[in-house]
Amino acid sequence: MSNLSRDDVAHVAMLARIQLEDHELDRLAGQLDQIVDWVGQINEVAAADVPPMSHPLPLVNVTRPDEVRPSLTQQQALANAPDPEGGRFGVPRILDEE
Amino acid sequence: MTATTDRTVPYADALTRYEPVMGLEVHVELSTATKMFCGCATEFGAEPNTQTCPVCLGLPGALPVVNRTAVESAIRIGLALNCRIAEWCRFARKNYFYPDMPKNFQTSQYDEPIAFDGWLDVEVPANEAGEPPFTFRVEIERAHMEEDTGKSTHVGGATGRIHGADYSVVDYNRAGIPLIEIVTKPLVGAGDRAPEVARAYVAALRDLLRALDVTHGRMEQGNIRCDANVSLMPIGSEVLGTRTETKNVNSLRSVERAVRYEITRHAAVLDAGEKVFQETRHWHEDTGITTAGRPKSDADDYRYFPEPDLVPVAPSREEVERLRATLPENPAERRKRLQGEWGFSDLEMRDVVNAGAVEVIEETVAAGASPAAARKWWTGDLARRANADGVAVTDLGVTPAHIAELDGLVTGGRLNDSMARQVMDGVVAGEGTPTQVADARGLELVQDDGALQAAVDKVIAANADVAEKIKGGKVQAAGALIGQVMKEMRGQADAAKARELILATLGVEG
Amino acid sequence: MTARDLTRLTALQMADGLAAGEFTSVELTQAHLDRIERLNPSLNAYLLVDAEGALATAANVDAARAAGEDLPRLAGVPVAVKDIACTRGLPTTAGSRMLEHFVPPYDATIVTRLKDARMPILGKTNMDEFAMGSSTEHSAFGPTRNPWDLERIPGGSGGGSSAAVAAYLAPLAIGSDTGGSIRQPAAVTGSVGVKPTYGAVSRYGIIALASSLDQIGPCARTVADAALLHEVLAGHDPMDSTSIDAPVPPVVAAATGTRDLTGLRVGVVKEIAREGYQEGVSRCFEEALQHLRDLGAQVVEVSCPHFVHAMAAYYLIQPSEASSNLARYDAMRYGSRTTPEGSPSAEQVMAASRDAAFGDEVKRRIILGTYALSSGYYDAYYGQAQKVRTLIAGDFTAAFEQADVLVSPTTPTTAFRIGDKLDDPMAMYLNDIATIPANLAGVPGMSIPSGVADEDGLPVGFQLLAPAMEDQRLYAVGAALEARLAEAQGGYVFEKAPEIEVQA
């Protein structure tokens, strides 16, 4: 039984912004299906009343005071940019506003 | 851009068949000194990418730390909106890719907002069509904390908007500025007044947030941004229609217009037997219409999960009460209370509010003046002077204490109204306090009853016919005599006192 | 002393020798740089060597010492840093093409601490791409080789650090452990590796794999050396919200204190100690247990029934968090940008860049994590895994009522051959079966070498686990066992490694 089809993998890859090539899809889809099948065993383990654990330590209310700290300079901020322009980060055309 | 103009039906016509349902999402940029999760400054208008650091640029390895003041502001906003405050809540990651979002997830809150289940009573004023004012209770679903995105500028292309742009440049100074998103429950029942309710709600919210001093509150700078969800229900139905979300409606007027436009557009779609398409819409201020944006799709699978890099927020009840004690009075409620205390009519109160004189009148009354005198001076004489000089009424050099002192001189009988105005000339001219001005200018009502009696006697003798009428019961005729007495006294008399003496001399009951 | 001899010292001996003026930090650092120059081409343990920076720090320390300045204990002792920690001005790649040319404008907190401790930083060590792997074969810059046998893996993800320490290319190194990436490499290279309690060491500036599992820790050849580095690294950091704001446990005192374990209860975790292990691994484990008994400890068997689900929970939580943590690598602000032909949109450039710059394992886990978090699957996968995590933490709590420390072999096998498991991700994942529960619960763990397997002559690791914030227990027990084993085996395990033959 297949949990994860080749199409599913292609779809999820696009959700993750990875443009897989066909030969990659061929290779990854089978492996992922096997892995998903295996991790799926977890479904039957925990009862509904078990609380989920998102953090290993029970810390709460860790905050900082609203005090300004030095920022990077514009030059530092843009130092690794593939396409800086006029103090800003150049990016390809954006399809639509969020 | 190639967007075709959508069909609409006349507004009044639409309302005969459909009940509008609205949901308003308001994003408030907090006025904290630093960003939500890092110590970068939040000043508006800085050079691009000069208020960024590894955290808000989403550099590898950077970690967020929550701004304490932002959490306090969120709780205060929640309390002011009559919300419950979570005892324990987490941040969550909202995952989606977008170039202006440095981490490609927004740190937000998902199913555990810091504040939830509140309400705000909104005063909707009378409208041009003559429909009366009314109060609408807006139910608040939630208020949660999140961070702003960077700002893209689109370069090239025909219109400068996104469609057709060749490329974009991004400034991340805004990325990470604290936002509070306030979401209403579906607002039903406003009928044809729905667009006005939307506007009045955003206005009331803005006033409230300003009173809380948590935001600069400038809609034109994007400190407060509104997304308006609109759907239509056929009248008599209880099934909610498909909604559209009109994004970034950033003025009060636009909120009202955008809701109104969407109602007319949805009605046309439904009338044609078609389905409203669930999508975001872009509002165009210039043409007053919305155009289709991105359809809702799989890409909206935000894959929320609890933010592992931040620990839960668990405000103690003591902390919540401490913050509650810092809340200013709700602006609308405060106005109502003051109007009652001061005994102003609705019209008088509206003039005071419109003149922005609520605070200064409050201070003047506190300094000892009567509310009526305070209102008369600040919205009358002084407002006219300020207007003539083109300055703010508070910049005339007149203080609430001056007004209280001047009012004391009038009620104490030393000055009459016209003398008081002369004293005010002196105060505005910088000649000193009202008492100093009155002294220097020799302005004082004659307190000597002998001189006043002599003047009264003289005037009665010269106007025997009028005196007879008064004696015959026509008391109001005394007004003519008072004027003459005041003339005899060269204005240096208390008109009320003169009236009293005239009547007494003629043996008539006042 | 000859240069070769200097690299053979423990960090503690180096610190003492520097303090006594027996040699200078420049000499010590240069000795390591020389050895790196000679052997790194064979091992590929370092991705970057910063000779200039390391020698400058060393000279600085020497001058300070000559001037009679009071210096930190490890001042002048060189250290290697896994390429997962941001170093200001030095390229930081996380083993990925995506960050091949990335130069951070800031230091990770632990790097600042190393600098404050005045330790010369020799360079950046190799790792599986974004720390995803158990062999360092997933590095975009070629695999690191095991100093015991160059045809074998040095463990992963921190294979560069473990190989550097085992091959005397550094006395100390930094590792990061999300599911075993410090302990498993230590086990297969005959070195010591510690994953401290979650939150004990700042993660600020550490390129995140899975935020709720990642922890930074020391790699060394001896338990005492690890303790010295642990003390430098640990402590509260206001830049990391999950950092513990409490005093650092007395790890150095524990590592150098009594060797008597009388009264200590050692719990053998049934679920991860007894089955499925290579013969030599099991034999070394049982021998180590006997040594513990001889030292006065009482060995009991405990059961952690939910540990059998730890792997599945881990391979949901870790990829899920990773899928989100790695979303930022979109080639918009930094990173390798690939622009498809035509006039592509930002979205298309992101997708093409991520396809081109990420390796297979990274893509597998991002896709798996994205799937596990996606609408309709969250409850069945991620939500369930978080619940199992609660159960596993509960197992630990119960087990620590019966035992002061828990033990198991660190890995099922000794180092396997390069390429053996590369095409079988599931087989690769199973290397972490014993190390993963500690990450899920946040408790500290240590691997120390317990011997050499007869069948292949390769080192075997022994894992110790302690309750959260009781890291010193690992050091006390680890040091006692280490000393006992050295006595019984005629020297430390790491000393038995063959001399590396330099490739032509």
Side-chain angles (χ1 to χ4, degrees), chain B residues 195-345:
Chain B
E196 294 168 64
V197 166
R199 177 191 185 135
Y201 164 67
V202 177
L205 192 56
R206 181 196 59 188
D207 291 350
L208 181 67
L209 294 165
R210 282 182 181 164
L212 285 165
D213 198 21
V214 292
T215 176
H216 298 305
R218 293 183 291 249
M219 292 189 80
E220 70 282 4
Q221 282 185 9
N223 300 147
I224 297 178
R225 314 196 277 267
C226 181
D227 299 341
N229 289 281
V230 173
S231 67
L232 295 185
M233 261 186 328
I235 285 175
S237 163
E238 292 197 346
V239 181
L240 292 176
T242 303
R243 70 192 164 88
T244 53
E245 182 178 17
T246 306
K247 291 275 197 188
N248 291 325
V249 193
N250 293 340
S251 74
L252 295 178
R253 185 163 166 267
S254 297
V255 170
E256 182 172 342
R257 289 172 75 208
V259 169
R260 181 180 290 263
Y261 177 82
E262 278 296 282
I263 290 171
T264 62
R265 191 183 66 82
H266 281 219
V269 173
L270 296 174
D271 283 354
E274 292 163 12
K275 280 185 176 165
V276 173
F277 196 44
Q278 187 172 359
E279 63 190 353
T280 57
R281 305 282 299 181
H282 299 307
W283 169 247
H284 303 274
E285 182 69 49
D286 45 356
T287 49
I289 63 164
T290 67
T291 54
R294 202 171 45 79
K296 291 276 175 191
S297 73
D298 286 349
D300 297 318
D301 188 342
Y302 293 125
R303 290 162 280 131
Y304 282 100
F305 71 102
E307 166 59 277
D309 285 325
L310 293 170
V311 304
V313 175
S316 71
R317 296 303 98 177
E318 293 74 29
E319 172 73 357
V320 170
E321 289 316 307
R322 185 185 70 75
L323 291 169
R324 193 190 300 280
T326 69
L327 292 186
E329 197 175 358
N330 176 302
E333 286 171 17
R334 175 161 174 269
R335 285 198 287 272
K336 215 175 270 179
R337 172 178 63 79
L338 289 173
Q339 184 182 348
E341 284 174 16
W342 294 342
F344 291 177
S345 69

Side-chain angles (χ1 to χ4, degrees), chain C residues 257-309:
Chain C
T258 175
R259 300 290 185 240
D260 184 4
L261 299 182
T262 303
L264 181 86
R265 297 171 303 164
V266 174
V268 176
V269 185
K270 194 169 71 179
E271 288 78 8
I272 56 170
R274 298 296 194 203
E275 273 172 41
Y277 288 93
Q278 184 182 317
E279 192 188 334
V281 171
S282 290
R283 186 185 55 74
C284 284
F285 179 66
E286 296 302 334
E287 282 175 16
L289 290 181
Q290 189 51 49
H291 285 302
L292 288 171
R293 285 191 200 95
D294 294 346
L295 287 166
Q298 178 197 349
V299 176
V300 298
E301 187 160 283
V302 300
S303 176
C304 294
H306 299 96
F307 279 21
V308 295
H309 304 295

Side-chain angles (χ1 to χ4, degrees), chain C residues 53-104:
Chain C
L55 287 170
T57 305
N60 203 284
V61 169
D62 289 339
R65 203 179 300 278
E69 230 180 275
D70 205 15
L71 290 167
R73 183 86 180 259
L74 289 176
V77 176
V79 63
V81 176
K82 187 176 181 179
D83 207 25
I84 201 166
C86 284
T87 42
R88 184 182 170 133
L90 281 187
T92 300
T93 68
S96 180
R97 284 276 168 236
M98 179 59 89
L99 295 177
E100 191 169 2
H101 304 293
F102 177 72
V103 182

Side-chain angles (χ1 to χ4, degrees), chain C residues 29-309:
Chain C
T29 304
Q30 189 62 54
H32 284 97
L33 291 170
D34 290 347
R35 193 169 164 84
I36 292 167
E37 191 174 45
R38 197 161 62 85
L39 295 181
N40 199 55
S42 304
L43 291 168
N44 197 29
Y46 285 88
L47 294 176
L48 177 138
V49 178
D50 183 25
E52 202 182 319
L55 287 170
T57 305
N60 203 284
V61 169
D62 289 339
R65 203 179 300 278
E69 230 180 275
D70 205 15
L71 290 167
R73 183 86 180 259
L74 289 176
V77 176
V79 63
V81 176
K82 187 176 181 179
D83 207 25
I84 201 166
C86 284
T87 42
R88 184 182 170 133
L90 281 187
T92 300
T93 68
S96 180
R97 284 276 168 236
M98 179 59 89
L99 295 177
E100 191 169 2
H101 304 293
F102 177 72
V103 182
Y106 77 114
D107 277 330
T109 297
I110 58 127
V111 171
T112 304
R113 285 178 185 250
L114 295 177
K115 288 180 176 175
D116 290 348
R118 306 182 73 164
M119 299 174 70
I121 295 173
L122 294 166
K124 307 295 288 291
T125 58
N126 200 3
M127 55 186 283
D128 284 299
E129 183 176 7
F130 289 107
M132 296 181 191
S134 308
S135 68
T136 319
E137 292 168 286
H138 295 306
S139 167
F141 308 108
T144 296
R145 289 164 187 276
N146 192 321
W148 289 72
D149 177 350
L150 297 180
E151 296 308 310
R152 291 180 188 262
I153 59 99
S157 65
S161 283
S162 68
V165 166
Y168 304 94
L169 303 190
L172 298 168
I174 303 299
S176 69
D177 190 313
T178 304
S181 287
I182 292 175
R183 290 162 289 160
Q184 183 259 1
V188 298
T189 57
S191 56
V192 175
V194 181
K195 180 201 95 74
T197 299
Y198 181 84
V201 178
S202 169
R203 294 184 293 115
Y204 186 74
I206 304 300
I207 296 179
L209 169 53
S211 307
S212 75
L213 303 166
D214 294 347
Q215 186 53 207
I216 304 309
C219 309
R221 288 189 291 270
T222 69
V223 172
D225 284 3
L228 289 172
L229 185 55
H230 185 130
E231 208 166 62
V232 170
L233 301 177
H236 182 241
D237 177 14
M239 298 296 280
D240 176 356
S241 304
T242 61
S243 168
I244 296 171
D245 192 1
V248 177
V251 292
V252 173
T256 53
T258 175
R259 300 290 185 240
D260 184 4
L261 299 182
T262 303
L264 181 86
R265 297 171 303 164
V266 174
V268 176
V269 185
K270 194 169 71 179
E271 288 78 8
I272 56 170
R274 298 296 194 203
E275 273 172 41
Y277 288 93
Q278 184 182 317
E279 192 188 334
V281 171
S282 290
R283 186 185 55 74
C284 284
F285 179 66
E286 296 302 334
E287 282 175 16
L289 290 181
Q290 189 51 49
H291 285 302
L292 288 171
R293 285 191 200 95
D294 294 346
L295 287 166
Q298 178 197 349
V299 176
V300 298
E301 187 160 283
V302 300
S303 176
C304 294
H306 299 96
F307 279 21
V308 295
H309 304 295

Side-chain angles (χ1 to χ4, degrees), chain A residues 3-4 8-9 12-21 24 27-28 31-32 34-57 59 62 64 69 72 76-83 89-95, chain C residues 88 101-103 105 198-199 212 239 241-244 309 311-313 315-316 331-335 337 343-352 354-355 360 363-364 366-368 370-371 380-381 384-391 393 423 425-426 429 440-442:
Chain A
N3 287 290
L4 203 58
D8 290 339
V9 172
V12 175
M14 276 321 289
L15 208 51
R17 287 290 181 284
I18 300 176
Q19 178 67 60
L20 292 178
E21 314 217 354
E24 289 182 293
R27 187 169 66 241
L28 295 180
Q31 294 169 343
L32 281 163
Q34 188 193 0
I35 297 168
V36 166
D37 186 44
W38 169 65
V39 295
Q41 59 158 289
I42 203 146
N43 247 315
E44 299 133 34
V45 179
D49 60 347
V50 176
M53 175 173 171
S54 56
H55 297 75
L57 295 175
L59 297 172
V62 176
R64 64 180 171 82
R69 293 170 53 97
L72 296 172
Q76 285 174 318
L78 290 160
N80 288 290
D83 187 18
F89 291 83
V91 301
R93 64 191 172 83
I94 298 171
L95 283 181
Chain C
R88 184 182 170 133
H101 304 293
F102 177 72
V103 182
Y198 181 84
S212 75
M239 298 296 280
S241 304
T242 61
S243 168
I244 296 171
H309 304 295
M311 290 287 291
Y315 276 97
L316 286 166
M332 296 292 112
R333 291 156 299 284
Y334 53 85
R337 188 183 283 187
S343 165
S345 64
E347 189 176 40
Q348 289 165 328
V349 172
M350 286 181 185
R354 286 163 66 80
D355 183 54
D360 269 6
K363 290 180 202 171
R364 268 193 293 270
I366 288 176
I367 292 168
L368 176 60
T370 303
Y371 176 70
Y381 293 116
Q384 272 295 313
Q386 297 277 39
K387 290 182 172 192
V388 168
R389 203 172 174 179
T390 303
L391 297 174
D423 296 325
M426 295 279 297
Y429 297 169
L440 289 170

Side-chain angles (χ1 to χ4, degrees), chain A residues 11-18 52-80 83-98, chain B residues 32-40 48-54 57 65-69 88 90 96-99 161-163 165-172 282 293-294 298 302-303 306-308 310-314:
Chain A
H11 167 76
V12 175
M14 276 321 289
L15 208 51
R17 287 290 181 284
I18 300 176
M53 175 173 171
S54 56
H55 297 75
L57 295 175
L59 297 172
V60 292
N61 296 332
V62 176
T63 58
R64 64 180 171 82
D66 185 26
E67 287 162 10
V68 176
R69 293 170 53 97
S71 294
L72 296 172
T73 63
Q74 189 187 69
Q75 197 189 356
Q76 285 174 318
L78 290 160
N80 288 290
D83 187 18
E85 181 181 306
R88 296 181 170 85
F89 291 83
V91 301
R93 64 191 172 83
I94 298 171
L95 283 181
D96 194 3
E97 279 172 308
E98 174 49 41
Chain B
T32 49
T34 67
K35 294 186 177 180
M36 186 74 215
F37 302 116
C38 66
C40 286
N49 297 301
T50 55
Q51 291 177 168
T52 66
C53 73
L57 277 181
V65 185
V66 173
N67 182 335
R68 189 178 310 153
T69 304
W88 189 90
R90 289 176 294 191
Y96 65 96
F97 286 82
Y98 206 74
R161 288 186 66 84
I162 284 178
H163 296 279
D166 290 328
Y167 64 101
S168 301
V169 290
V170 191
D171 170 14
Y172 293 102
H282 299 307
R294 202 171 45 79
D298 286 349
Y302 293 125
R303 290 162 280 131
E307 166 59 277
L310 293 170
V311 304
V313 175

